[in-house]
Amino acid sequence: MKQIRNFCIIAHIDHGKSTLADRLLEETKTVTGRDSKAQVLDDMELERERGITIKSHAIQMDYKHNNKDYVLNLIDTPGHVDFSYEVSRSIAACEGALLIVDATQGIQAQTISNLYLAIENDLEIIPVMNKMDLDSAMPDEVEDQIIELIGCDKEDIIKASGKTGMGVSDILSNIIKKIPSPIGDSSAPLQALIFDSVFNSFRGIVAYVKIINGEVKKGDLVKFVNTDKEYLADEIGVLRLKQEPRKVLKTGDVGYLISGIKTSKEVKVGDTITHQANPCETAIDGFEDVKPMVFAGVYPIDSEDYEDLRASLEKLQLNDASLTFEPESSAALGFGFRCGFLGLLHMEIIQERLDREFEMNVITTVPNVSYMVYDRKGVETEVHNPSGLPDLAIIERIEEPYIKAQIITKSEYLGGVMTLCLNKRGILNNQTFITGDRVDLSFDLPLGEIVFDFYDRLKSISKGYASFDYYRIGFRPAKLVKLDILLNGDPVDALSALIHNDNAQNFGRRICEKLKELIPRQQFDIAVQAAIGAKVIARETVKAVRKDVTAKCYGGDITRKRKLLEKQKKGKKKMKQIGNVEVPQNAFLAVLKLD
């Protein structure tokens, strides 16, 4: 155990975590010539395409330092705020963390929030200043920011470059010197923490574990504490570039366990594994239950695929424990699932993974957040969906979720960022200058306002410089109304929204205009209306496709033409009574991109 070091890499998005991880793997000769490629650990096609890390990736390296052999377990983590749950799980399996800061951009919001996560878990922090080879690097300025943030000495900060490999050997020797070896009792009963899991269609579910106490051998009968199920450990091993089987995993090791489990409900991330014959007395504290921020309905395009979609979501949940879902039905779209996501990027990634990994074509409804509704008797109900709102006559008040947002930006973009937040009903709490040209803003914002396009607009206002991080602070009363979209008098429940009274008129008008462009013309007029209760606040008409029935009348009396037009009018009226309007998939998505 004295020779083991478990550490993770934390940073803001795009500060060079995965590239630096590549250099560590090359330096320790874990990855050699043929296997080496940029971002080795990002093995998902989607990650490589977008250049972001979505999943945490664990890998074991061997390193010789002062003629002693050490085993280093590295976990590379995502940097985007939507995947912070992945980071919290990786941190639980480590004793130390490399805090990487981009020397050209300095400290950003996600750096700070990931750092606090690591400090809460008592991890040893090693600060690293990356991208030192770039001409635009500002080492002195960024050094001061790091010292102010974590209170270290100037000598403690390692200057490195993921591209050229500068400082990599310093990082490795610091990991060995500063990060403590795991603490545990190898003679105690087995206690192993599941920090991740994946589904393999041939072997069943593969659980990634960290052994806290005791040891596990191949063929042992193990028990999952949470679900109370027992299994044989068919195969155990460590995570190198590929899985490498071993006979035994000892205290402090990070590895995997395969026991032929086929049903995804039987493995929970954060669960404890112990021996059946000699169980441990207490389970390990797992991770806090994740609270979804954004809810959206996911429906199969073909209703026969409903069960396949359920199976696909269950397999995805194994790999991404922050996804939650429950069945629901809609008048417009049939049967589907109400899914909870951590943010809009998370929702987009899940949709893309359903398509690529499981070939599921789905329709996603307008995302929204959950509200607390109190009726006149004082009974509270949680509403995820506008169609689940009780009758307005019995509602006393509606409360919406608020977040505390931390935005770090350059001072030249301060005005634009403030205007954006205030337009989103934000309340400014605090404004501090970190350095001469960097400002830290703290706002209270309604979560429903940032769900749509807040992050994109923040990035475009600040030319990509502003960084954004948030956490929930509870519910506050709000003046909300239910906005219904009607097509020919029939409400489309998938397009209805709960929205603040001040924004309803503007939002309703814009949706009607957008739908007018997107709904294909029929043989009859289609009325597109936005209504609050019985009051219509906006209307557009999709004009009918008409045949020129008077084309055969060359001159002659006007009554001949009128007779033909009246006949056509009757036909259109009859058609309108029996015709129905198909809403195309891009109409549901267009509501997200109204600006």
Side-chain angles (χ1 to χ4, degrees):
M1 264 170 62
K2 291 269 183 286
Q3 317 302 109
I4 297 176
R5 300 286 182 273
N6 299 322
F7 69 100
C8 61
I9 301 185
I10 56 175
H12 188 79
I13 189 167
D14 219 13
H15 278 204
K17 298 176 293 301
S18 302
T19 313
L20 202 60
D22 290 352
R23 298 293 86 79
L24 293 172
L25 296 175
E26 283 167 15
E27 180 78 13
T28 55
K29 300 190 173 46
T30 310
V31 173
T32 49
R34 203 171 63 176
D35 297 321
S36 80
K37 54 182 179 182
Q39 280 90 35
V40 179
L41 295 180
D42 292 348
D43 50 12
M44 213 187 293
E45 189 187 338
L46 199 56
E47 293 180 311
R48 305 189 69 76
E49 248 173 53
R50 292 182 174 227
I52 57 174
T53 305
I54 295 167
K55 284 289 306 163
S56 298
H57 298 274
I59 191 163
Q60 193 181 82
M61 310 181 282
D62 295 324
Y63 186 60
K64 209 181 187 76
H65 181 72
N66 293 345
N67 292 329
K68 278 188 187 170
D69 290 324
Y70 289 89
V71 173
L72 312 179
N73 289 309
L74 151 72
I75 302 181
D76 180 24
T77 64
H80 196 282
V81 62
D82 279 10
F83 305 112
S84 52
Y85 185 63
E86 286 284 327
V87 182
S88 72
R89 285 158 39 184
S90 311
I91 282 173
C94 296
E95 282 82 37
L98 294 182
L99 176 75
I100 293 184
V101 180
D102 185 335
T104 63
Q105 294 186 25
I107 282 171
Q108 295 193 291
Q110 199 58 31
T111 319
I112 297 174
S113 71
N114 286 343
L115 173 70
Y116 287 157
L117 266 177
I119 290 172
E120 274 169 36
N121 283 277
D122 296 332
L123 264 61
E124 180 64 43
I125 309 288
I126 298 177
V128 177
M129 204 156 48
N130 196 18
K131 303 194 186 180
M132 286 297 291
D133 58 311
L134 295 182
D135 297 337
S136 54
M138 319 172 284
D140 298 341
E141 216 172 292
V142 177
E143 234 169 32
D144 294 343
Q145 290 176 23
I146 296 173
I147 291 166
E148 199 174 317
L149 183 67
I150 60 175
C152 61
D153 295 329
K154 202 167 182 176
E155 296 73 50
D156 296 340
I157 301 169
I158 303 168
K159 295 185 171 68
S161 162
K163 195 188 267 183
T164 61
M166 159 192 176
V168 172
S169 50
D170 289 353
I171 293 175
L172 286 165
S173 56
N174 267 293
I175 287 168
I176 287 162
K177 284 180 206 155
K178 292 185 178 172
I179 293 176
S181 53
I183 310 159
D185 183 354
S186 47
S187 57
L190 171 69
Q191 238 188 354
L193 173 74
I194 303 177
F195 66 89
D196 205 354
S197 56
V198 290
F199 186 82
N200 181 318
S201 38
F202 302 106
R203 309 293 307 269
I205 290 159
V206 183
Y208 293 164
V209 296
K210 181 191 180 188
I211 314 288
I212 309 285
N213 290 314
E215 58 180 47
V216 60
K217 295 188 176 74
K218 186 181 173 174
D220 280 355
L221 187 63
V222 292
K223 177 175 143 189
F224 287 64
V225 175
N226 245 347
T227 51
D228 216 21
K229 298 266 193 250
E230 294 160 20
Y231 299 99
L232 274 176
D234 292 340
E235 184 184 306
I236 57 171
V238 294
L239 300 155
R240 308 291 283 210
L241 204 51
K242 295 186 173 59
Q243 293 170 348
E244 275 187 19
R246 293 275 193 271
K247 292 272 195 319
V248 63
L249 285 178
K250 299 185 173 175
T251 310
D253 280 338
V254 173
Y256 68 93
L257 182 144
I258 301 176
S259 46
I261 307 169
K262 290 285 185 281
T263 41
S264 44
K265 287 195 178 73
E266 292 175 20
V267 176
K268 285 198 170 75
V269 168
D271 196 357
T272 306
I273 300 179
T274 185
H275 277 132
Q276 167 55 23
N278 181 18
C280 57
E281 288 173 16
T282 55
I284 310 159
D285 283 342
F287 326 99
E288 57 188 70
D289 269 347
V290 62
K291 295 182 188 72
M293 296 278 189
V294 176
F295 295 89
V298 173
Y299 294 86
I301 285 178
D302 189 345
S303 54
E304 290 169 4
D305 294 339
Y306 176 73
E307 283 305 323
D308 293 346
L309 179 60
R310 181 197 292 276
S312 306
L313 283 168
E314 280 178 357
K315 286 173 187 169
L316 255 186
Q317 199 176 31
L318 272 179
N319 197 236
D320 184 349
S322 49
L323 169 70
T324 59
F325 64 93
E326 57 189 45
E328 74 162 1
S329 65
S330 143
L333 300 167
F335 290 103
F337 294 93
R338 184 103 196 123
C339 297
F341 308 98
L342 295 184
L344 275 190
L345 177 70
H346 186 214
M347 175 177 133
E348 206 179 307
I349 295 293
I350 293 287
Q351 212 176 331
E352 191 97 355
R353 285 183 72 182
L354 278 172
D355 183 25
R356 290 183 184 211
E357 293 171 31
F358 304 101
E359 293 176 359
M360 293 300 311
N361 272 336
V362 293
I363 289 178
T364 312
T365 64
V366 182
N368 55 22
V369 296
S370 56
Y371 298 91
M372 299 306 279
V373 178
Y374 295 85
D375 63 16
R376 299 197 185 283
K377 293 176 184 167
V379 179
E380 64 172 272
T381 42
E382 191 172 353
V383 174
H384 298 308
N385 200 336
S387 57
L389 199 67
D391 186 15
L392 289 173
I394 63 165
I395 294 176
E396 186 187 320
R397 71 179 191 280
I398 303 176
E399 292 190 350
E400 63 176 339
Y402 264 73
I403 56 157
K404 171 88 70 197
Q406 182 189 29
I407 298 168
I408 297 178
T409 179
K410 286 197 160 185
S411 48
E412 62 197 90
Y413 308 121
L414 180 62
V417 172
M418 295 267 274
T419 310
L420 172 69
C421 294
L422 295 171
N423 286 346
K424 297 280 187 188
R425 300 190 284 128
I427 301 157
L428 179 65
N429 291 330
N430 198 357
Q431 172 186 336
T432 45
F433 279 83
I434 306 175
T435 58
D437 67 337
R438 287 165 69 82
V439 194
D440 183 352
L441 297 169
S442 167
F443 273 94
D444 287 356
L445 280 159
L447 182 58
E449 292 280 352
I450 69 156
V451 160
F452 286 118
D453 53 357
F454 181 81
Y455 194 66
D456 294 344
R457 288 179 61 189
L458 179 70
K459 283 289 179 199
S460 48
I461 285 170
S462 65
K463 301 199 173 124
Y465 273 106
S467 58
F468 172 62
D469 183 43
Y470 58 87
Y471 59 89
R472 283 177 84 147
I473 52 172
F475 289 81
R476 295 184 187 176
K479 199 175 173 188
L480 298 169
V481 289
K482 182 185 173 192
L483 183 76
D484 286 315
I485 302 296
L486 313 172
L487 293 182
N488 276 349
D490 297 328
V492 182
D493 58 349
L495 285 173
S496 58
L498 273 173
I499 190 158
H500 196 266
N501 198 22
D502 300 349
N503 304 343
Q505 186 109 21
N506 185 21
F507 186 71
R509 190 178 304 117
R510 280 158 55 204
I511 282 196
C512 288
E513 286 166 5
K514 198 79 181 173
L515 289 176
K516 182 185 174 184
E517 293 168 23
L518 292 167
I519 291 175
R521 289 168 71 187
Q522 310 283 339
Q523 296 280 340
F524 49 89
D525 282 2
I526 305 168
V528 182
Q529 295 168 305
I532 297 172
K535 182 185 173 194
V536 174
I537 56 168
R539 171 185 170 130
E540 294 286 338
T541 307
V542 180
K543 282 295 183 193
V545 182
R546 300 178 79 93
K547 180 184 174 188
D548 188 359
V549 288
T550 59
K552 62 185 179 210
C553 299
Y554 294 104
D557 195 82
I558 184 66
T559 52
R560 288 180 63 204
K561 290 185 179 178
R562 191 154 294 145
K563 184 178 154 193
L564 288 168
L565 289 168
E566 286 300 321
K567 189 177 167 191
Q568 184 188 36
K569 199 170 168 184
K570 272 185 197 162
K572 298 278 184 203
K573 192 173 177 185
K574 186 178 176 188
M575 217 178 252
K576 187 173 183 174
Q577 288 165 355
I578 55 170
N580 62 350
V581 186
E582 288 283 317
V583 184
Q585 157 71 359
N586 58 355
F588 294 107
L589 298 176
V591 182
L592 313 183
K593 303 186 174 78
L594 279 179
D595 286 318

